[in-house]
């Protein structure tokens, strides 16, 4: 007995006392593949860039195709209308084909149609190829935003949106400069050919790093799709062609407006409580998402309206060649990129998103207001400096607004919500261009009438 006790005692001394179990640390956050980020941002840049890079080349296309100014606008209109029609269908197409397959198809189609645009031999062919370019390019921006937000954890969405914003908010600003340089140095066809190597590069990266998602069995709501295509197409056509056709003095514009109103009303009335509608309209019951979408639409009016009038002012009145006129946008693009990066990585963690949005709007207004007082004596930095102030506003505005809009959206609805968000931003841009074009034509007529009223045989 004593031996057992002694042995037991020795055993207890030999064995170290058990330490309490330590809690298992949480797994480190999964690193987002840099190649995937580069791929999706590059694809978004391609689609947005082609909305503005072609603008500078339009006068050069007139002679190539022996077209009138009214006819050549279809090179722009066909792309914008096609993209607007397909963009809200991104969520449906992603569920039907799978996100990976849709992105591959969209990039491949965009690259091929871009090459065909560069090889176009007549006005009809380039309009058809631009239509195809718009159809394939439409899903690129919504998919890019959805993929980035899916890849980053929710607490890092500000960083993801800053990266995404570098593409979709800076690319339209850089587009005129790049288009002007390529047109002056080489040919207008280069503004399309440049998409080919960039698109192939993005496609190869996406193939290697984009994860697969299961494909859902869907029942297509063909009536809803038809109403949506009709409504969006009519709205975009009216906004794009209204100024050219003298707005409601044109029967075509009146008919397009009627179609847009009735098709939109029918789409919403029919699909509001319909669970299998082509677009999940329950997204519009999310107050943050609706407010953010309306705000980005209004901001698109100011951003694209300014960009529409500045090339005309710098080239026609100041006498800048296209490549120099395009460089006026570069300082704004650089400042926007820097501010987006700072906002997404630092400021959004420190300040309330609402104050950042308000600050962005104030800075945009302060940068835009001096443009109303430009004269023929303004120099390069006189134009670029207000643009840089407005660029700071863009960087402060975009990231917190989009983060707040998507804060309560489920991950499985990112594709659909991004499609609606991108569509409304595009419609806002078209509305801005339409308003500025209308004001430009109207004021030109007013000044012309005032000047000619003083011309008499007795007044030299």
């Amino acid at each position: 007995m004593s031996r057992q006790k002694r042995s037991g005692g020795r055993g207890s001394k030999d064995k170290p006392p058990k330490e309490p179990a330590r809690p298992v640390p949480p797994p480190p956050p999964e690193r987002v593949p840099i190649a995937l980020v580069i791929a999706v941002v590059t694809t978004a840049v391609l689609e947005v860039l082609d909305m503005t890079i072609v603008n500078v080349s339009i006068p050069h296309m007139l002679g190539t195709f022996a077209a009138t100014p009214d006819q050549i606008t279809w090179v722009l209109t066909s792309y914008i209308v096609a993209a607007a029609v397909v963009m809200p269908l991104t969520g449906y197409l992603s569920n039907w084909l799978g996100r990976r397959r849709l992105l591959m198809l969209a990039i491949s189609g965009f690259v091929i149609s871009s090459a065909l645009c560069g090889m176009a031999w007549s006005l009809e062919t380039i309009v058809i190829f631009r239509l195809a370019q718009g159809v394939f390019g439409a899903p690129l921006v919504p998919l890019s935003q959805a993929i980035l937000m899916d890849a980053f954890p929710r607490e890092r969405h500000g960083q993801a949106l800053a990266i995404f914003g570098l593409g979709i908010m800076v690319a339209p600003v850089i587009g005129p400069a790049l288009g002007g340089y390529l047109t002056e140095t080489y040919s207008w066809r280069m503004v399309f050919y440049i998409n080919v190597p960039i698109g192939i590069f993005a496609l190869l990266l996406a193939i290697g790093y984009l994860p697969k998602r299961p494909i859902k069995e869907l029942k297509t709501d063909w009536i809803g799709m038809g109403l949506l295509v009709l409504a969006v197409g009519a709205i975009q056509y009216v906004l794009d062609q209204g100024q050219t056709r003298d707005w409601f003095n044109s029967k075509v514009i009146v008919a397009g407006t009627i179609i847009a109103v009735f098709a939109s009303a029918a789409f919403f009335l029919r699909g509001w409580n319909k669970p299998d509608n082509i677009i999940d309209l329950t997204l519009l019951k999310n107050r943050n998402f609706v407010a953010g979408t309306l705000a980005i639409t209004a901001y698109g009016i100011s951003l694209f309206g300014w960009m529409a009038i500045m090339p005309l002012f710098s080239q026609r009145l100041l006498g800048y060649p296209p490549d120099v006129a395009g460089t006026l946008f570069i300082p704004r693009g650089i400042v926007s990129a820097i501010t987006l990066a700072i906002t997404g990585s630092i400021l959004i963690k420190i300040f309330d998103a609402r104050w950042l949005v308000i600050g962005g709007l104030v800075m945009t207004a302060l940068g835009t207001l001096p443009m109303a007082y430009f004269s023929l004596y303004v120099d390069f930095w006189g134009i670029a400096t207000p643009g840089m102030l407005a660029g700071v506003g863009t960087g402060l505005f975009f990231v917190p607004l989009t983060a707040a809009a998507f804060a309560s959206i489920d991950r499985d609805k990112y594709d659909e919500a991004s499609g609606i968000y991108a569509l409304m931003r595009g419609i806002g841009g078209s509305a801005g261009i339409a308003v500025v074009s209308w004001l430009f034509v109207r004021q030109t007529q007013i000044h012309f009438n005032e000047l000619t009223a003083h011309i008499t045989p007795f007044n030299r």
Side-chain angles (χ1 to χ4, degrees):
M1 189 75 178
S2 60
R3 189 182 301 162
Q4 289 177 355
K5 286 181 180 179
R6 283 197 299 269
S7 63
R10 284 195 302 268
S12 62
K13 289 180 181 177
D14 294 339
K15 292 181 180 180
K18 292 183 178 179
E19 295 182 0
R22 294 179 179 178
V24 179
E30 186 178 350
R31 295 186 64 184
V32 180
I34 299 298
L36 177 63
V37 174
I38 295 173
V40 296
V41 171
T42 304
T43 57
V45 167
L46 279 176
E47 198 276 336
V48 179
L49 195 65
D50 264 61
M51 289 187 177
T52 57
I53 195 174
V54 181
N55 293 4
V56 182
S57 305
I58 288 295
H60 297 262
M61 296 182 191
L62 283 169
T64 303
F65 300 125
T68 64
D70 289 346
Q71 292 172 336
I72 204 68
T73 58
W74 279 102
V75 175
L76 301 175
T77 303
S78 55
Y79 178 86
I80 295 172
V81 172
V85 166
V86 179
M87 201 171 284
L89 300 174
T90 302
Y92 164 77
L93 294 173
S94 178
N95 291 328
W96 181 47
L97 296 172
R99 180 186 281 176
R100 178 187 173 91
R101 192 179 300 174
L102 176 59
L103 186 65
M104 303 302 172
L105 177 64
I107 297 175
S108 303
F110 189 83
V111 168
I112 294 171
S113 56
S114 296
L116 291 173
C117 285
M119 294 185 289
W121 54 91
S122 66
L123 181 64
E124 292 77 15
T125 54
I126 195 171
V127 169
I128 292 171
F129 297 148
R130 283 284 282 174
L131 276 169
Q133 200 181 27
V135 168
F136 287 110
L140 295 179
V141 169
L143 279 180
S144 298
Q145 179 175 331
I147 291 169
L148 278 179
M149 295 184 71
D150 222 7
F152 283 77
R154 194 174 286 271
E155 61 271 13
R156 293 177 61 193
H157 274 185
Q159 185 180 353
L161 290 169
I163 296 170
F164 177 71
L166 292 177
I168 63 120
M169 301 304 284
V170 177
V173 179
I174 301 298
L178 182 59
Y181 171 77
L182 292 173
T183 302
E184 284 290 302
T185 308
Y186 302 100
S187 165
W188 65 263
R189 298 181 186 273
M190 281 300 299
V191 303
F192 298 110
Y193 287 141
I194 196 174
N195 292 333
V196 176
I198 299 175
I200 293 174
F201 171 72
L203 181 62
L204 294 175
L205 289 178
I207 289 173
Y209 291 94
L210 185 63
K212 295 182 179 180
R213 284 179 58 180
I215 300 175
K216 299 179 182 180
E217 293 292 333
L218 296 176
K219 182 181 178 182
T220 304
D221 177 20
W222 294 107
I223 297 177
M225 181 184 289
L227 289 171
L228 179 66
V229 168
L230 199 61
V232 174
I235 291 171
Q236 194 66 56
Y237 177 82
V238 168
L239 290 174
D240 195 65
Q241 290 290 302
Q243 180 267 327
T244 305
R245 298 179 177 273
D246 198 20
W247 290 102
F248 296 108
N249 292 323
S250 167
K251 294 181 180 178
V252 176
I253 297 300
V254 172
T257 305
I258 293 172
I259 292 171
V261 170
F262 281 96
S264 300
F267 175 76
F268 282 103
L269 291 174
R270 179 181 178 276
W272 188 249
N273 292 315
K274 187 177 174 62
D276 59 342
N277 194 44
I278 196 71
I279 287 182
D280 185 4
L281 294 181
T282 59
L283 290 169
L284 302 182
K285 297 178 182 179
N286 186 314
R287 186 177 66 178
N288 285 349
F289 179 71
V290 172
T293 303
L294 293 175
I296 200 68
T297 303
Y299 196 80
I301 295 175
S302 66
L303 177 66
F304 286 90
W306 168 80
M307 291 172 58
I309 199 70
M310 194 53 63
L312 293 173
F313 173 70
S314 58
Q315 292 182 57
R316 291 188 180 181
L317 297 183
L318 299 183
Y320 288 2
D323 53 344
V324 177
T327 60
L328 290 168
F329 297 87
I330 291 179
R332 175 171 181 159
I334 294 173
V335 170
S336 293
I338 295 171
T339 311
L340 280 165
I342 295 173
T343 303
S345 57
I346 300 174
L347 297 182
I348 199 171
K349 299 176 183 177
I350 301 175
F351 299 101
D352 190 313
R354 292 171 294 182
W355 290 110
L356 290 175
V357 169
I358 292 172
L361 292 174
V362 170
M363 291 299 292
T364 303
L366 290 176
T368 306
L369 186 60
M371 299 178 188
Y373 300 96
F374 283 171
S375 70
L376 296 182
Y377 299 101
V378 68
D379 60 5
F380 181 94
W381 287 108
I383 297 174
T385 303
M388 292 167 68
L389 285 176
V392 173
T394 300
L396 291 173
F397 177 83
F398 178 77
V399 173
L401 179 76
T402 308
F406 283 78
S408 53
I409 300 293
D410 296 333
R411 283 183 175 271
D412 59 342
K413 294 183 179 180
Y414 277 168
D415 291 359
E416 202 157 9
S418 298
I420 297 173
Y421 197 73
L423 168 70
M424 296 308 296
R425 184 175 60 244
I427 287 179
S430 296
I433 294 171
V435 170
V436 168
S437 299
W438 170 70
L439 288 172
F440 176 73
V441 172
R442 180 175 177 272
Q443 290 301 116
T444 301
Q445 292 173 344
I446 290 173
H447 293 311
F448 181 81
N449 290 332
E450 288 180 351
L451 288 172
T452 54
H454 296 281
I455 298 176
T456 68
F458 311 103
N459 187 337
R460 296 181 65 185

